[in-house]
């Protein structure tokens, strides 16, 4: 084992959907910095192009494409085209999510279906299409973003939490099905991260501060602090890791955090 290179991704091809901003953007940058050729895909095609351009300007290897993760046919076509063009697909990452924060009893049918369509349906499309390619080539690493909400919930997060728990279980099932064919599948669970998804919380100082104090570090996480988890699980350093969830939550799920007793 060459321990000095176990995290390197040289020669590998990665498809990262949701790479135009936030955690996806940071992850794309990190994958490229560690040697992967990264296909930066996003519904925001111009944003994806910007990120890919930044990567190449910095000496990395990247390309971009506009992609709607909720369009099953488009996802399948994109995955197959990338595999044909490069002769392989080693890493597939699904990062997009949306959230409608409101009590379950107030949810409309349209809101319910929209959150499921993006968070669970979109992830399904990528995992299925990329999983088929990887199973055929006998290797690969599939990653999707779950959340601490897959384990702990607060008012207004019921539907979002259900999709994140579903993402975790879908990956676990996929790990059991594709492991014998050399493909790994894992979830990453962020805590509260400063991204466009959490922008509404920043507008409420009390809400923002409460989330910061839930972390043992007393602050929110940054998108780049998720990138290491992506590189690790994508790399050969994680060659015996599948069907699991890696928490990057600042201790959110480990510590009660409501009261410090007088010890």
């Amino acid at each position: 084992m060459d321990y000095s290179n176990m995290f390197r991704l040289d020669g590998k091809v990665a498809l990262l959907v949701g790479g135009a901003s936030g955690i996806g953007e940071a992850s794309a940058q990190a994958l490229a910095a560690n040697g992967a050729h990264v296909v930066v895909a996003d519904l925001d095609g111009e944003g994806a192009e910007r990120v890919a351009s930044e990567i190449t300007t910095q000496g990395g290897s990247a390309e971009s494409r506009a992609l709607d993760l909720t369009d099953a046919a488009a996802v399948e076509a994109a995955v197959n085209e990338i595999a044909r063009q490069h002769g392989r697909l080693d890493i597939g990452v699904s990062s997009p999510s949306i959230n409608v924060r409101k009590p379950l009893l107030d949810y409309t049918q349209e809101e319910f279906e929209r959150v499921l369509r993006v968070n669970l349906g979109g992830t399904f499309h990528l995992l299925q299409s990329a999983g088929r390619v990887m199973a055929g080539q006998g290797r690969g690493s599939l990653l999707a973003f779950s959340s601490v909400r897959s384990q702990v919930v607060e008012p207004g997060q019921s539907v979002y939490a259900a999709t994140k728990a579903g993402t975790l279980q879908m990956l676990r099932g996929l790990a059991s099905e594709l492991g014998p064919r050399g493909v790994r599948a894992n979830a990453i669970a962020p805590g509260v991260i400063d991204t466009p998804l959490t922008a509404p919380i920043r507008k409420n100082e009390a809400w923002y501060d409460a989330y910061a104090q839930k972390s043992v570090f007393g602050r929110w996480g940054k998108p780049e602090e998720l990138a290491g988890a992506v590189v690790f699980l994508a790399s050969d350093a994680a060659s015996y890791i599948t069907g699991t969830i890696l928490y990057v939550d600042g201790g959110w799920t480990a510590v009660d955090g409501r009261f410090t007793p007088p010890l």
Side-chain angles (χ1 to χ4, degrees), residues 34-82:
N34 282 274
H37 174 80
V38 183
V39 181
V40 184
D42 201 290
L43 185 62
D44 175 8
E46 291 184 359
E49 184 177 0
R50 174 188 59 81
V51 173
S53 178
E54 289 178 2
I55 289 173
T56 56
T57 299
Q58 295 163 4
S61 178
E63 63 187 90
S64 68
R65 64 171 60 226
L67 182 63
D68 181 356
L69 198 60
T70 66
D71 185 337
V75 173
E76 183 177 19
V79 167
N80 291 338
E81 182 181 342
I82 292 165

Side-chain angles (χ1 to χ4, degrees), residues 6-246:
M6 64 192 303
F7 294 95
R8 293 293 304 175
L9 302 170
D10 301 285
K12 294 191 176 182
V13 176
L15 169 60
L16 194 148
V17 184
S21 64
I23 294 170
E25 178 178 356
S27 299
Q29 294 274 5
L31 290 169
N34 282 274
H37 174 80
V38 183
V39 181
V40 184
D42 201 290
L43 185 62
D44 175 8
E46 291 184 359
E49 184 177 0
R50 174 188 59 81
V51 173
S53 178
E54 289 178 2
I55 289 173
T56 56
T57 299
Q58 295 163 4
S61 178
E63 63 187 90
S64 68
R65 64 171 60 226
L67 182 63
D68 181 356
L69 198 60
T70 66
D71 185 337
V75 173
E76 183 177 19
V79 167
N80 291 338
E81 182 181 342
I82 292 165
R84 284 195 302 269
Q85 179 182 350
H86 297 283
R88 59 193 296 160
L89 178 62
D90 304 284
I91 301 159
V93 185
S94 176
S95 69
S97 290
I98 62 171
N99 194 0
V100 177
R101 295 178 178 86
K102 64 193 303 186
L104 183 69
L105 301 187
D106 295 336
Y107 249 78
T108 68
Q109 184 68 25
E110 189 278 331
E111 289 168 336
F112 175 78
E113 292 176 355
R114 178 157 52 94
V115 174
L116 263 67
R117 183 168 62 250
V118 174
N119 298 4
L120 204 54
T123 298
F124 165 76
H125 297 151
L126 181 62
L127 294 179
Q128 184 182 62
S129 296
R132 285 171 174 162
V133 169
M134 292 178 183
Q137 66 190 15
R139 66 183 183 279
S141 175
L142 294 166
L143 303 173
F145 280 89
S146 180
S147 168
V148 294
R149 295 299 174 213
S150 67
Q151 308 298 316
V152 293
V153 190
E154 66 181 6
Q157 297 273 33
S158 299
V159 177
Y160 177 82
T163 65
K164 292 306 178 177
T167 294
L168 171 59
Q169 292 301 87
M170 187 160 52
L171 282 160
R172 284 173 168 164
L174 194 57
S176 71
E177 294 168 2
L178 296 186
R181 302 177 74 172
V183 181
R184 298 183 293 109
N186 291 291
I188 298 172
V192 58
I193 310 297
D194 203 346
T195 69
L197 182 65
T198 54
I201 300 173
R202 291 198 300 273
K203 299 175 183 178
N204 185 314
E205 185 176 351
W207 195 358
Y208 184 93
D209 289 344
Y211 272 19
Q213 295 309 311
K214 187 65 175 70
S215 161
V216 299
F217 302 124
R219 64 173 178 83
W220 285 44
K222 304 171 185 177
E224 56 266 30
E225 292 180 298
L226 274 296
V230 173
V231 171
F232 167 58
L233 289 173
S235 74
D236 290 340
S239 60
Y240 201 59
I241 299 176
T242 194
T244 194
I245 182 168
L246 175 57

